[in-house]
Amino acid sequence: MIFTSDNAFGTSPEILEALTRVNVGAVASYGADDVTARLTKKFSDVFERDVAVFPVATGTAANSLALSVFTPPYGAIYCHEFAHVNVDECGAPEMFSGGAKLVGIGGANGKIDADALALKLSLPRKGDVHQVVPSTLTITQSNELGGVYTLAELHRLTELARQYELHVHMDGARFANALVSLGCTPAEMTWKSGIDVLSFGATKNGAMAAEAVVFFDPAKAADFAFRRKRAGHLFSKMRFLSVQLEAYLENDLWLRNARHANAMSKRLADGLLTIDGVTLGSPVDANEVFVRLPIALFKRLMKSEAAFYPWDNAEDAKEGHVRQLVRLVTSFATKEDEVDRFLTLAKG
Amino acid sequence: MIFTSDNAFGTSPEILEALTRVNVGAVASYGADDVTARLTKKFSDVFERDVAVFPVATGTAANSLALSVFTPPYGAIYCHEFAHVNVDECGAPEMFSGGAKLVGIGGANGKIDADALALKLSLPRKGDVHQVVPSTLTITQSNELGGVYTLAELHRLTELARQYELHVHMDGARFANALVSLGCTPAEMTWKSGIDVLSFGATKNGAMAAEAVVFFDPAKAADFAFRRKRAGHLFSKMRFLSVQLEAYLENDLWLRNARHANAMSKRLADGLLTIDGVTLGSPVDANEVFVRLPIALFKRLMKSEAAFYPWDNAEDAKEGHVRQLVRLVTSFATKEDEVDRFLTLAKG
Amino acid sequence: MIFTSDNAFGTSPEILEALTRVNVGAVASYGADDVTARLTKKFSDVFERDVAVFPVATGTAANSLALSVFTPPYGAIYCHEFAHVNVDECGAPEMFSGGAKLVGIGGANGKIDADALALKLSLPRKGDVHQVVPSTLTITQSNELGGVYTLAELHRLTELARQYELHVHMDGARFANALVSLGCTPAEMTWKSGIDVLSFGATKNGAMAAEAVVFFDPAKAADFAFRRKRAGHLFSKMRFLSVQLEAYLENDLWLRNARHANAMSKRLADGLLTIDGVTLGSPVDANEVFVRLPIALFKRLMKSEAAFYPWDNAEDAKEGHVRQLVRLVTSFATKEDEVDRFLTLAKG
Amino acid sequence: MIFTSDNAFGTSPEILEALTRVNVGAVASYGADDVTARLTKKFSDVFERDVAVFPVATGTAANSLALSVFTPPYGAIYCHEFAHVNVDECGAPEMFSGGAKLVGIGGANGKIDADALALKLSLPRKGDVHQVVPSTLTITQSNELGGVYTLAELHRLTELARQYELHVHMDGARFANALVSLGCTPAEMTWKSGIDVLSFGATKNGAMAAEAVVFFDPAKAADFAFRRKRAGHLFSKMRFLSVQLEAYLENDLWLRNARHANAMSKRLADGLLTIDGVTLGSPVDANEVFVRLPIALFKRLMKSEAAFYPWDNAEDAKEGHVRQLVRLVTSFATKEDEVDRFLTLAKG
C-alpha cells in the first residue's frame, strides 16, 4: 500500500522490453541514432504539428532547460507559489537561467489565480532596469495539488502572458494524467492553448527515466542542444533514452497507464470521503488525492504498513490540528486491491 | 566495423538483466532505496576505505559536479589542454562551478606535463585578487589520447597539487581500462595516489547510462547532494541507476569488459603498425588507438564501411597532410573478428 | 521642492573637498594606499570592535557582494517582500550568489514579521535536497517604507536566524538615518543585535558614490576581496572611494546629515497630517514620508513644480482610489524652506 | 619616480573641477540627468556616428558587461593569452557572461597572432554541441605589453571574426594612448575597423573612476542597461560619473593627457636603451615601457626609491636570469623631471 509518489513505482514492462530490443549493435551516439530520429516524427504526429523534441532523463532537467531558453539571467519566471520549479528543485531554474527570479503567484487548488497574475504583471514598469524583466510563465498540468486546468483556464493565463510578451512553459510531469482527465487532444492542451514549450513527462507514468522537452516552434529551440549538453544532460547512448519515449507512446501505453492511475485516485478518494470527518483538500482531477484526515485516523494510518506523506502546510500547523492534510498518489502500477485494502484499513 | 567511440556500443547483458531484476514493487525514490544503499558498501570495498558515492547518468555531470565542490566561482581548474572537461563538454565545468576558469596545460600523449604544471602554478601571486584562485587539478585516466598515467606520474602531479593546496579530481570515464592496464588496485590508482574525488565511469564500458562520483573523504561531500539535485541529476527512480553500477562491479564484469576492450585495441594497433607508412600517434595504453595513416589509406578507409574519426588536429592541418591522425576506439563489445576484418581491409 | 529620493541630491561639500585634498601625487592602487588603510581603524572605532571594511561604489554592489559570501548558489536568502534586494536590484543578489533564491516575508511597515519568518523557517526539512538551503537573513535599516526596527525587533529576528543557522546581513543604505532615529550606538544596532555583515551606506546621505561592506568577524571576509574584484567593484584609484567614507565619518558629518534629513521628514509629515484627508501610510521613523493623499490633492501636487513619486501599490490600485499612497524623501540637503513651501502648496 | 601603473596617479584637475561644478541642486538619479544625456551627443560626435554610451566606474566592469552582451553562457571569447580580461580580472568575464570560456591566443608583443586565431577558429565544428560556441573576439588597444595594433592589423583580425560570425570588442583601457600613437580618428580605430563595442577607458588617463561602454550599433545595446544595473554598476548619482567623461573629452583633455604620457614613455625608453645591456622587451607604442634590465641593474633599481614592477614571466624564470623583464608605465601626470631622475639613477 504505497501512496508516497508515482515515482516510487518501477518501469512499465513494455518500456523495459524496448530497452532490450534496442540493445543491438553499435549505433551513432549522442542522439544521431535512428530511434531518436523517429521521435521527432512521432511527437509531431501526437501534437499535430512539426515540433522539436529533446529527450532528457529528469523532470527537473526538462523544466530548467526549457525555462532557460526563454528567460534571461535578469528575467522573471511567473509560477504558482507551490510550483515544483519553485519549491522542489533546489533552485535548478535559477541555475540553468543564470540567476532568474521565480515569482510565486497564489491560487486555490494549486492553480495560478489569473487575477493575481494580472495584478503582478501590471506592476513592473516596462523598461525599468531596477526590476527583473517579466519573461516566462510556467503552468503545471496536472498541478502539485492534483488539479487540472480546464482549457478555458489555460487560455486565460496564456492570453495574459501574451499581453505582457511572456513565453509560456507547461510543466507536464503528469501530462498524460491531465490529458485523459480533460479528454482533449495533446494539441488542444498545449499549443492551441498558447503553450510555447512543454516538459512532457514519462517517468512518473511508467518510464524508467525519460522526459521530453517539446518546442511547438522549432525555430525557438535553436540553442537548446547546447544548453542540454552543457548541463550534462545529453546522453551518449541516447537510444536508451529515446526508446523509452517511443515505447511510452506506442499503442497508447501512456494513455492507458494514466487512465489507470487516475481511476485508482478516484476510487481512493471516493472511498475515503465516505469516512466520517475526512474532507477534500483539493479536487481530485488526476492521480493525486489530497484529503484532510482526522488526527486520530492520521496517526493510526501513519503507524500502519501503508505509506504516504503528510503535506507540510502552514495552514495545518495553525488550525489546532484537528485534521491533517495528506497526499496520496496512485500510479500506473497501483493495484485496485491495494486501494481497497487501504480503504478497509482506514475505515477499520 | 565501428571504431568511432566506445559509447557507440550498447549495454552489457548483465546490466540489462539487473534492470529487469530490480523492477519489482514500489520503493523509496530519490536514492533512499536498498540498491543505492548497498552501493556505498560495495564501493568502499572496492576502494578499501569508506567512501561517499553518488550515481549520476553522464560523465559530463560527474566531472562538473565533482569539480564544482572544490572550485569556487573565482577559482582555476588545471587540466590537460585537450582534456574532455576543457574541450568536449560545452563549458559544463564553467556552468556548474558558477564561472571558474579552466587552465589548459600541455603535455605529450594527453598527459599533463608536470614541469609545465609546476611553472603555471608558480605564477599566480598568492592572495592576488586580480587572478583566479588555483583550486583544482583534474587528471584523466585513461586520457583523451588513450594514455595511462603511471602511479609515479600520478604521484608527481598530485604532490604538486598538494604543494599549492589544490584538490585533485580524476576523470575516470575509462577508469577500468586504465586500471587493468596498470594492473594495480583501485585504491592505488586513486586515493593512495592523492586523488580526492573520482568520476568513476561505467557507461563507456558496458553500462547504459551510469557513472559514480566517489569522494575518498566523505566529509568533503557535504554539499554534493544539493548540487546534484539542483543540476537535475538526481533520479527519482534511482534504483535503475544504482543497479547498473552494482551489476557493473559484480563478478568483475567491469574488469572483464575493460580487459577485452584493451586487448582489442592492442590487436588493432599491432596489426595497423605492420602496414607501411602507418605510425603511432600516441602509445596504446588502454582502449583507444591513435595512429597516423598515409593519406591514400586514410581516404580509402573513410569511404569503406568501417567507421572511425579523423582527429581534428592543428598539427595535421599543417604538415602538408601526408598522413592523417585518426582515432579508433574499441569497447567491451568489439569483436575480435571485427578487428581482423578491419585489418584485412586496411592491408587491402 | 524635490522629494523623489535622497539620491537626487549631490555631494556634501566636505566630501568634495576631501577628494581634492587626496588628489596629490602617485600612490599604490587597488586599495593599498594610506587612506584605505586608515578606514579599518576608523570603522573599528565607530563599531567598537575589529572589523573588516571594503569600500564599494553602489548599494546594490554592497548588498549583493555581502550576501554572496554567506549564501551558496543553492541557498535561500530571507528578506522582506518589499526589500530593495528583492524588488529593486534587477536580480543582483541572484547574480552574485550564482543563483540563490530570495524568499520574501510579509510584514507591516516594511518590517519583516517575526512570526511569518518563524513559520517560513520551520518549513524546509533540514537536509532535504529538493529545497534550497536556508542561508541568510537580510534586514533593511531603515527600511523601504521609512521604518526603523527597534533593537528588540532586531534581536527577535536575529535570534530566529541563529536558531536556523542563518547569517544575518543588514542593508544599511540609510544606516545613519536609522541610527540617529534610535539614538543608540552603531555597535548596538549591528553586531550587538546579531548582525554579521553590514552594507554601510553613505551615498544617500551625502557621499558622491561610496558604501562600505563591514564584516564584524573579519575571518568571515576571507573571500570578499576576490568577489569584489571579480564583480568589477575594486577601484584602481581607491583613495577617491575611501576618502569619501573617511570624510563622511569625520566630525560626525554622517550623523549631522542624517539628523537634518530626519528632521525634515518629520516637519513634512507633521505638516501634511494637518491637512484634511491626509493619512499616514507608514510611521515616519527616518527620512522617508509615506502618506495617502486625497486624489484631488494628489493630482494637483503632481502637476505642480514639486517632485515626488506615487508608490506603486496593489492596495491603492484596488481601493477605488479615493486616496493615493505617495513617497516623499528628504535628504541632508533638503532645505527647511523647501519643506515649508511644499506644505503651503499642499494646504493650497 | 613612480612607474608602477598609470592608475597610481590621481585625477586631472579639470575633472575634479567638473565634479564641483556639477554639484548643484537635485537632479534625476540613475542617469536621467542632463549631463548624462549630453554624453550621447558628445560621443556620437567623437565617433562620427550615432552610438549608445553607458558610463561605468571600472575597466573590469566595462569589459565584462560589454562581452556579456555578445557571449552566451555556452560561448567562447577569443583573446590574447595575456589579455587583461584573461589574466587580471579574477574571472569577471566568466561571471558576467554566466560561464563563458576565454580562449587565449598567442602572439608577439601582446598582439593576437592572426594566423593562430585563424587556426583556432577553424577547429570547432559548426553546430557541434560538445564545444562552446565561438562568439566574441576581444582586442586590447593599446595592449598589455604597450603595443598598438595598426589599422591593417585590426582589419585582419576583425575580418576573421566576421568570417566566423563573431562580434568584436575592443578593450580600450588605454584607448587615447593608442589613438594618438596611430594618429588616426576614433572612428577609424573602432567601427571603421570592424569593432562592435568599445570599453572606452578614461580612468588610467586622468579620470577619477570613469569608463564608457560604447556600442556602435545602438540596437545591439538593448539589454545592456539591465545587465549594468544587475551587476551593481548603475550609479544613483550618475551625474558625477558622466561629468568625468564630459570633462575628459572637453578641450581635448584626453588627447593632451595621452600625448604627454606617450612622450614620457618614449623619453624613458630612449634613455634606458642607451644603457649597456638594456634591451627592448616589446616595442614602445604608447605609455608603457617593457625592457629587460641586467640583473645587477634590476636589483639596484628595485632597492632605490623608484617604483616599478618586474614582469612575471615564465621566460625570465627560465633563462638563467641574466636579465629581468620589467614594466614601467608613464601617465598624464608623470613629470619629465621624474623620468630624467630615473634615467640618471639607472645610468648610475
Side-chain angles (χ1 to χ4, degrees):
Chain A
M1 293 184 291
I2 307 289
F3 303 101
T4 50
S5 179
D6 27 13
N7 59 33
F9 294 84
T11 304
S12 274
E14 295 88 337
I15 290 174
L16 261 182
E17 281 154 27
L19 290 173
T20 304
R21 190 175 69 229
V22 86
N23 190 31
V24 176
V27 306
S29 45
Y30 295 114
D33 62 281
D34 291 344
V35 188
T36 306
R38 288 196 303 261
L39 277 186
T40 301
K41 173 78 174 67
K42 185 67 187 164
F43 273 87
S44 296
D45 287 350
V46 165
F47 285 99
E48 303 173 48
R49 71 180 287 162
D50 284 346
V51 300
V53 187
F54 299 89
V56 295
T58 72
T60 296
N63 288 337
S64 296
L65 284 168
L67 289 166
S68 76
V69 168
F70 296 114
T71 317
Y74 49 88
I77 299 167
Y78 294 82
C79 61
H80 192 278
E81 59 181 321
F82 301 153
H84 199 267
V85 291
N86 198 27
V87 298
D88 274 312
E89 300 188 352
C90 198
E94 286 92 339
M95 179 186 182
F96 285 66
S97 64
K101 186 186 283 289
L102 280 88
V103 180
I105 311 289
N109 304 325
K111 292 181 183 177
I112 295 169
D113 181 84
D115 290 334
L117 177 65
L119 178 61
K120 204 81 172 182
L121 285 171
S122 72
L123 295 181
R125 295 172 291 277
K126 175 112 184 167
D128 176 359
V129 300
H130 299 269
Q131 298 180 279
V132 285
V133 177
S135 302
T136 330
L137 169 68
T138 174
I139 300 170
T140 312
Q141 178 82 320
S142 66
N143 71 36
E144 290 76 9
L145 290 181
V148 175
Y149 290 89
T150 63
L151 295 188
E153 286 169 338
L154 289 178
H155 275 279
R156 171 85 202 280
L157 292 175
T158 62
E159 273 156 25
L160 274 170
R162 279 311 156 240
Q163 187 185 333
Y164 288 95
E165 298 174 25
L166 272 58
H167 283 94
V168 187
H169 165 251
M170 178 175 276
D171 176 353
R174 295 186 179 97
F175 185 83
N177 303 94
L179 190 72
V180 301
S181 174
L182 288 186
C184 65
T185 68
E188 284 166 351
M189 203 168 82
T190 55
W191 62 273
K192 287 185 177 175
S193 290
I195 305 299
D196 294 299
V197 63
L198 167 69
S199 295
F200 177 88
T203 309
K204 287 182 193 292
N205 192 36
M208 180 178 284
E211 318 276 309
V213 179
V214 183
F215 286 85
F216 297 107
D217 176 357
K220 289 184 175 162
D223 79 344
F224 190 88
F226 290 95
R227 291 183 176 276
R228 179 177 58 174
K229 171 60 198 176
R230 181 171 129 91
H233 284 289
L234 176 62
F235 274 39
S236 56
K237 299 181 177 178
M238 180 68 95
R239 56 176 145 170
F240 296 108
L241 192 46
S242 299
V243 83
Q244 293 183 55
L245 293 164
E246 189 175 55
Y248 181 69
L249 292 173
E250 236 159 45
N251 302 318
D252 289 346
L253 173 62
W254 62 311
L255 302 176
R256 280 183 284 126
N257 277 358
R259 278 192 202 104
H260 176 78
N262 288 10
M264 290 303 99
S265 267
K266 186 163 183 348
R267 187 182 190 89
L268 184 60
D270 287 350
L272 286 171
L273 288 171
T274 65
I275 301 175
D276 212 43
V278 174
T279 59
L280 208 54
S282 199
V284 178
D285 292 340
N287 68 318
E288 296 181 281
V289 175
F290 285 83
V291 285
R292 290 201 162 73
L293 304 179
I295 286 292
L297 174 57
F298 166 68
K299 288 186 177 165
R300 183 162 61 79
L301 289 173
M302 284 296 282
K303 281 184 204 138
S304 77
E305 53 170 333
F308 61 94
Y309 289 120
W311 207 240
D312 274 340
N313 194 292
E315 185 195 332
D316 281 291
K318 277 188 210 154
E319 62 171 310
H321 226 46
V322 296
R323 287 198 190 84
Q324 170 65 41
L325 182 64
V326 303
R327 185 185 79 159
L328 300 144
V329 190
T330 58
S331 88
F332 72 99
T334 301
K335 301 268 194 317
E336 204 172 280
D337 164 68
E338 217 175 336
V339 172
D340 293 346
R341 281 193 292 130
F342 181 75
L343 289 174
T344 305
L345 182 68
K347 288 168 183 170
Chain B
M1 292 184 290
I2 308 289
F3 303 102
T4 50
S5 178
D6 27 13
N7 59 32
F9 294 84
T11 305
S12 275
E14 295 88 337
I15 289 174
L16 261 182
E17 282 155 25
L19 289 173
T20 304
R21 192 175 68 230
V22 85
N23 190 32
V24 175
V27 305
S29 46
Y30 294 114
D33 62 280
D34 291 345
V35 188
T36 306
R38 289 196 302 261
L39 277 186
T40 301
K41 173 77 173 70
K42 186 67 187 164
F43 272 87
S44 295
D45 288 351
V46 166
F47 285 99
E48 304 174 47
R49 71 179 287 162
D50 284 346
V51 300
V53 187
F54 298 89
V56 294
T58 72
T60 295
N63 288 338
S64 296
L65 285 168
L67 289 167
S68 77
V69 169
F70 296 115
T71 317
Y74 48 88
I77 299 167
Y78 294 83
C79 60
H80 192 278
E81 58 180 323
F82 301 153
H84 199 266
V85 290
N86 198 29
V87 298
D88 274 311
E89 300 188 352
C90 198
E94 286 91 340
M95 178 185 182
F96 286 66
S97 64
K101 188 186 281 291
L102 279 88
V103 180
I105 310 289
N109 304 325
K111 293 181 182 177
I112 295 169
D113 181 84
D115 291 334
L117 176 64
L119 178 60
K120 205 81 172 182
L121 286 170
S122 72
L123 295 182
R125 296 172 292 275
K126 175 114 183 166
D128 176 0
V129 300
H130 300 270
Q131 297 181 280
V132 286
V133 177
S135 302
T136 330
L137 170 67
T138 174
I139 301 169
T140 312
Q141 178 81 319
S142 66
N143 70 36
E144 289 77 8
L145 290 181
V148 175
Y149 290 89
T150 64
L151 295 187
E153 286 169 338
L154 288 179
H155 275 279
R156 173 82 202 283
L157 292 175
T158 62
E159 274 157 23
L160 274 170
R162 280 310 155 240
Q163 186 184 334
Y164 288 95
E165 298 173 25
L166 272 59
H167 283 94
V168 187
H169 166 251
M170 178 175 276
D171 177 353
R174 295 186 178 95
F175 185 82
N177 302 93
L179 190 73
V180 300
S181 173
L182 288 187
C184 66
T185 68
E188 284 167 352
M189 203 169 81
T190 55
W191 61 272
K192 288 186 176 174
S193 290
I195 305 299
D196 294 296
V197 63
L198 166 69
S199 295
F200 177 89
T203 309
K204 287 180 193 293
N205 192 37
M208 179 179 284
E211 317 276 308
V213 178
V214 183
F215 287 86
F216 297 107
D217 177 356
K220 290 184 174 163
D223 80 345
F224 189 89
F226 290 95
R227 291 184 176 275
R228 179 176 56 173
K229 171 62 198 174
R230 181 170 129 91
H233 285 290
L234 176 62
F235 274 40
S236 55
K237 300 183 176 177
M238 181 68 95
R239 57 176 143 171
F240 296 108
L241 191 46
S242 300
V243 82
Q244 293 183 55
L245 293 164
E246 188 175 55
Y248 181 68
L249 292 174
E250 237 159 46
N251 302 319
D252 289 346
L253 173 63
W254 63 310
L255 303 176
R256 280 183 285 124
N257 276 0
R259 277 189 203 107
H260 176 78
N262 288 9
M264 290 304 98
S265 266
K266 185 163 184 347
R267 187 180 190 91
L268 184 62
D270 287 350
L272 285 170
L273 288 171
T274 65
I275 300 174
D276 212 42
V278 174
T279 59
L280 209 52
S282 199
V284 179
D285 292 340
N287 68 319
E288 294 181 283
V289 175
F290 285 83
V291 284
R292 289 200 162 74
L293 303 179
I295 285 293
L297 175 55
F298 166 69
K299 288 185 176 165
R300 182 162 61 78
L301 289 173
M302 285 296 282
K303 282 184 204 139
S304 77
E305 53 169 334
F308 61 94
Y309 288 121
W311 208 238
D312 273 340
N313 194 291
E315 186 195 331
D316 281 292
K318 277 189 211 153
E319 63 170 312
H321 226 46
V322 295
R323 285 198 192 85
Q324 170 64 40
L325 182 64
V326 303
R327 184 184 81 157
L328 301 142
V329 190
T330 57
S331 87
F332 72 99
T334 301
K335 301 270 195 314
E336 203 172 283
D337 165 68
E338 216 175 335
V339 171
D340 292 346
R341 280 192 293 130
F342 181 76
L343 289 173
T344 305
L345 182 69
K347 287 169 182 170
Chain C
M1 293 183 288
I2 308 288
F3 303 101
T4 49
S5 177
D6 28 12
N7 59 33
F9 294 84
T11 305
S12 274
E14 295 87 337
I15 290 174
L16 261 182
E17 281 155 27
L19 290 173
T20 304
R21 192 175 66 230
V22 86
N23 190 31
V24 176
V27 305
S29 45
Y30 295 114
D33 62 280
D34 290 345
V35 188
T36 306
R38 288 197 303 261
L39 278 187
T40 302
K41 172 79 173 66
K42 185 68 187 166
F43 272 86
S44 296
D45 287 350
V46 165
F47 285 99
E48 303 174 48
R49 71 180 288 164
D50 285 346
V51 300
V53 186
F54 299 89
V56 295
T58 72
T60 296
N63 289 337
S64 296
L65 284 168
L67 289 167
S68 77
V69 168
F70 295 114
T71 317
Y74 48 88
I77 299 167
Y78 294 84
C79 60
H80 191 278
E81 57 180 324
F82 301 153
H84 199 267
V85 292
N86 197 29
V87 298
D88 274 310
E89 301 189 350
C90 197
E94 287 91 340
M95 179 186 183
F96 286 65
S97 64
K101 187 186 283 288
L102 279 88
V103 180
I105 310 290
N109 303 325
K111 293 181 182 178
I112 295 169
D113 181 85
D115 291 333
L117 176 64
L119 178 60
K120 204 83 172 181
L121 286 171
S122 72
L123 295 182
R125 296 172 291 275
K126 175 114 184 166
D128 177 0
V129 300
H130 300 269
Q131 297 181 281
V132 285
V133 177
S135 302
T136 329
L137 170 67
T138 174
I139 300 170
T140 311
Q141 179 81 322
S142 67
N143 71 35
E144 290 76 10
L145 289 181
V148 174
Y149 290 90
T150 65
L151 294 188
E153 286 169 337
L154 288 178
H155 275 279
R156 172 84 202 281
L157 292 176
T158 62
E159 272 155 25
L160 274 170
R162 280 307 157 244
Q163 186 184 335
Y164 288 96
E165 298 174 26
L166 273 58
H167 283 94
V168 187
H169 166 251
M170 178 174 278
D171 177 353
R174 295 187 178 95
F175 185 83
N177 302 94
L179 190 72
V180 300
S181 174
L182 288 186
C184 66
T185 68
E188 284 166 352
M189 202 168 82
T190 56
W191 62 272
K192 287 186 176 174
S193 290
I195 305 299
D196 293 299
V197 63
L198 166 69
S199 295
F200 177 89
T203 309
K204 287 181 194 292
N205 192 36
M208 179 179 284
E211 317 276 310
V213 178
V214 183
F215 287 86
F216 297 107
D217 178 355
K220 290 183 174 163
D223 80 344
F224 189 89
F226 289 95
R227 292 184 176 274
R228 179 177 57 173
K229 171 62 197 174
R230 182 172 129 89
H233 284 289
L234 176 62
F235 275 40
S236 55
K237 299 182 176 176
M238 180 69 96
R239 56 175 144 170
F240 295 108
L241 192 46
S242 299
V243 83
Q244 293 183 54
L245 293 164
E246 188 175 55
Y248 181 69
L249 292 174
E250 237 160 45
N251 302 318
D252 288 345
L253 174 61
W254 63 310
L255 303 176
R256 279 183 287 127
N257 277 359
R259 277 189 203 109
H260 176 78
N262 288 10
M264 290 304 98
S265 267
K266 184 160 184 351
R267 186 180 192 92
L268 185 60
D270 287 350
L272 286 171
L273 289 171
T274 65
I275 301 174
D276 211 43
V278 174
T279 59
L280 208 53
S282 199
V284 179
D285 293 340
N287 68 318
E288 294 180 283
V289 175
F290 285 83
V291 284
R292 290 198 162 75
L293 304 179
I295 285 292
L297 175 56
F298 167 68
K299 287 186 178 165
R300 183 164 61 78
L301 289 173
M302 285 297 281
K303 281 183 205 139
S304 77
E305 53 170 333
F308 61 94
Y309 288 120
W311 208 239
D312 274 339
N313 193 290
E315 185 194 334
D316 282 291
K318 278 188 210 153
E319 63 172 312
H321 225 46
V322 295
R323 286 200 192 83
Q324 170 63 42
L325 182 64
V326 303
R327 184 184 80 159
L328 300 143
V329 191
T330 57
S331 88
F332 72 99
T334 300
K335 300 268 194 317
E336 204 173 282
D337 165 67
E338 217 175 336
V339 171
D340 293 346
R341 281 192 294 132
F342 181 76
L343 290 173
T344 304
L345 182 68
K347 289 168 182 171
Chain D
M1 292 183 291
I2 307 289
F3 303 101
T4 49
S5 178
D6 27 13
N7 59 32
F9 294 84
T11 305
S12 275
E14 295 88 338
I15 290 174
L16 261 182
E17 282 154 27
L19 290 173
T20 304
R21 192 174 67 229
V22 86
N23 190 31
V24 176
V27 305
S29 46
Y30 295 115
D33 62 282
D34 291 345
V35 188
T36 305
R38 288 195 302 262
L39 278 186
T40 302
K41 172 78 174 68
K42 185 68 187 166
F43 272 86
S44 296
D45 287 351
V46 166
F47 284 99
E48 302 174 49
R49 71 179 288 162
D50 284 346
V51 299
V53 186
F54 298 89
V56 295
T58 72
T60 296
N63 289 337
S64 296
L65 284 168
L67 289 166
S68 77
V69 169
F70 296 115
T71 317
Y74 48 88
I77 299 167
Y78 294 82
C79 61
H80 192 279
E81 59 181 321
F82 301 153
H84 199 266
V85 292
N86 197 28
V87 297
D88 274 312
E89 300 188 351
C90 197
E94 287 91 340
M95 178 186 183
F96 285 65
S97 64
K101 187 186 283 289
L102 279 89
V103 180
I105 310 289
N109 304 323
K111 293 181 183 178
I112 295 169
D113 182 85
D115 290 334
L117 176 64
L119 179 60
K120 205 81 173 182
L121 286 170
S122 72
L123 295 182
R125 295 172 293 275
K126 176 115 184 165
D128 176 0
V129 300
H130 299 270
Q131 298 182 280
V132 284
V133 177
S135 302
T136 330
L137 169 67
T138 174
I139 301 170
T140 312
Q141 179 81 324
S142 67
N143 70 37
E144 289 76 8
L145 289 181
V148 175
Y149 290 90
T150 64
L151 294 188
E153 286 169 338
L154 289 179
H155 276 278
R156 173 83 201 282
L157 293 175
T158 62
E159 273 156 24
L160 274 169
R162 281 308 157 243
Q163 186 184 336
Y164 288 95
E165 298 173 25
L166 273 59
H167 283 95
V168 187
H169 166 251
M170 178 175 277
D171 176 354
R174 294 186 179 95
F175 185 82
N177 302 94
L179 190 73
V180 300
S181 175
L182 288 186
C184 65
T185 67
E188 283 167 351
M189 203 168 83
T190 56
W191 62 273
K192 288 186 176 174
S193 289
I195 305 299
D196 295 297
V197 63
L198 166 69
S199 296
F200 177 88
T203 309
K204 286 181 193 294
N205 192 36
M208 180 180 284
E211 318 275 309
V213 178
V214 183
F215 286 86
F216 297 107
D217 177 356
K220 290 184 174 162
D223 80 346
F224 190 89
F226 290 95
R227 292 184 175 275
R228 179 177 58 175
K229 170 62 198 174
R230 182 170 129 90
H233 284 289
L234 176 62
F235 275 40
S236 55
K237 300 183 176 176
M238 180 68 95
R239 57 176 144 172
F240 296 109
L241 192 46
S242 299
V243 82
Q244 293 182 55
L245 293 163
E246 188 175 56
Y248 181 68
L249 292 174
E250 236 159 47
N251 301 318
D252 288 347
L253 173 62
W254 62 310
L255 302 176
R256 279 183 286 125
N257 276 359
R259 277 190 203 108
H260 176 78
N262 288 11
M264 290 303 98
S265 267
K266 182 158 185 353
R267 186 181 190 92
L268 185 61
D270 287 350
L272 286 170
L273 288 171
T274 65
I275 300 174
D276 212 43
V278 174
T279 59
L280 209 53
S282 200
V284 179
D285 292 339
N287 68 319
E288 296 181 282
V289 174
F290 285 83
V291 284
R292 289 199 163 75
L293 304 179
I295 285 292
L297 175 55
F298 167 69
K299 289 186 175 166
R300 183 162 61 79
L301 289 172
M302 284 297 281
K303 281 184 205 140
S304 77
E305 53 169 333
F308 60 95
Y309 289 120
W311 209 240
D312 274 340
N313 193 291
E315 184 195 333
D316 281 292
K318 278 188 208 154
E319 64 172 312
H321 226 47
V322 295
R323 285 200 192 83
Q324 171 63 41
L325 182 65
V326 302
R327 184 184 80 159
L328 300 143
V329 190
T330 57
S331 88
F332 73 98
T334 301
K335 301 268 194 318
E336 203 173 283
D337 164 69
E338 218 175 334
V339 172
D340 293 346
R341 280 192 293 130
F342 182 76
L343 290 173
T344 304
L345 182 69
K347 288 169 182 171

